[in-house]
Amino acid sequence: MTEKLSVSELTENYNAVKKRLSAALQKAGRPENAVTLLAATKTVDPETINRAIELGITHIGENRVQELLSKNGLIKPVHNHFIGHLQTNKVKQIVGEVDMIDSVDSVKVAKEIGKISAKKGIVTDVLVEINIGEEASKFGLDPSELTETLCEISEIGSVRVKGLMAIPPICDSSAEIRKFFMNMNRMFLDIKAKKLDNISMDILSMGMSGDYVEAILEGSTMVRVGSSLFGKRVY
Ligand SMILES: *Cc1c(COP(=O)(O)O)cnc(C)c1O
């Protein structure tokens, strides 16, 4: 677990992130509201998450099914996302419990989300995850199969694609990581321009504690920040 933060530490962290985020937006010549700050809350206790919400956090994300379910009832009303790898057999536990699933990485999981959503009489908003560095160790679609896969997903009922998500490889330099983000933004804009049926490209989720400034400079519309807000995680 993350060590419990004092109110003043959390406030300090939150203000520091907001300040860097604003500075990055200004540097990029983008408006103040161009990026949503999503707090990645894995390992963080509900009380601390609620304090972050009181400070102004409007979106949170969990990446483990059990952890999300155990905290869900204890968190103040807020937009909640599932941001981790979702196994097909766990889809039924998540659909209806979150506002968005950010990490759809196969047609198979999208179909299951559609099936369960239809059963529950809802439509589930999703982001499609791209393995931008084409790393064997990471989940996500290969960039080369993106358009084709999106077309397949667009035909699934009760699922609405709202954008893309990516976690780039560990990079040595700011310049190197910006290239990955730039490629993501290019794909995002290309798909958007194609105006595919049932696919809207509103959200480009990229950037975490170590690289959200670079991501914002390259067009991110949602950053997922954990440790910069809540402190270092032990696991
Ligand atoms: C934990 C996590 C984050 C946040 O990571 P930090 O480096 O702590 O900001 C972002 N995205 C996903 C998918 C995560 O699991």
Side-chain angles (χ1 to χ4, degrees), residues 89-207:
N89 64 358
K90 295 203 172 157
V91 165
K92 59 179 173 301
Q93 293 175 264
I94 285 296
V95 166
E97 296 293 328
V98 295
D99 296 306
M100 192 174 282
I101 299 172
D102 294 14
S103 37
V104 168
D105 52 18
S106 67
V107 174
K108 189 174 162 217
V109 80
K111 279 186 174 156
E112 184 69 8
I113 294 169
K115 192 177 108 189
I116 305 290
S117 300
K119 254 189 211 163
K120 296 193 175 181
I122 59 174
V123 175
T124 301
D125 287 336
V126 304
L127 303 180
V128 169
E129 182 172 359
I130 313 299
N131 184 0
I132 188 65
E134 297 177 50
E135 297 167 278
S137 61
K138 285 223 176 98
F139 293 104
L141 301 178
D142 197 276
S144 64
E145 62 189 18
L146 174 60
T147 307
E148 202 186 317
T149 307
L150 277 177
C151 287
E152 277 185 69
I153 294 177
S154 75
E155 286 168 9
I156 303 169
S158 308
V159 172
R160 197 159 44 199
V161 177
K162 304 295 275 184
L164 304 178
M165 187 272 237
I167 305 173
I170 308 275
C171 292
D172 294 329
S173 73
S174 211
E176 198 186 339
I177 200 143
R178 280 184 71 164
K179 267 189 212 150
F180 287 108
F181 290 140
M182 191 173 69
N183 286 338
M184 271 305 295
N185 194 27
R186 207 173 276 161
M187 269 188 269
F188 178 74
L189 295 173
D190 277 354
I191 299 285
K192 194 177 194 145
K194 284 187 179 140
K195 297 198 190 322
L196 302 172
D197 278 350
N198 201 26
I199 303 273
S200 57
M201 285 288 128
D202 302 329
I203 300 175
L204 177 56
S205 174
M206 56 185 195

Side-chain angles (χ1 to χ4, degrees), residues 40 42 63 83-84 165 167 207-210 224-228 231 233:
K42 57 176 171 275
N63 68 336
I83 61 176
M165 187 272 237
I167 305 173
M208 320 203 312
S209 290
R224 306 176 311 269
V225 178
S227 49
S228 288
R233 288 178 298 271

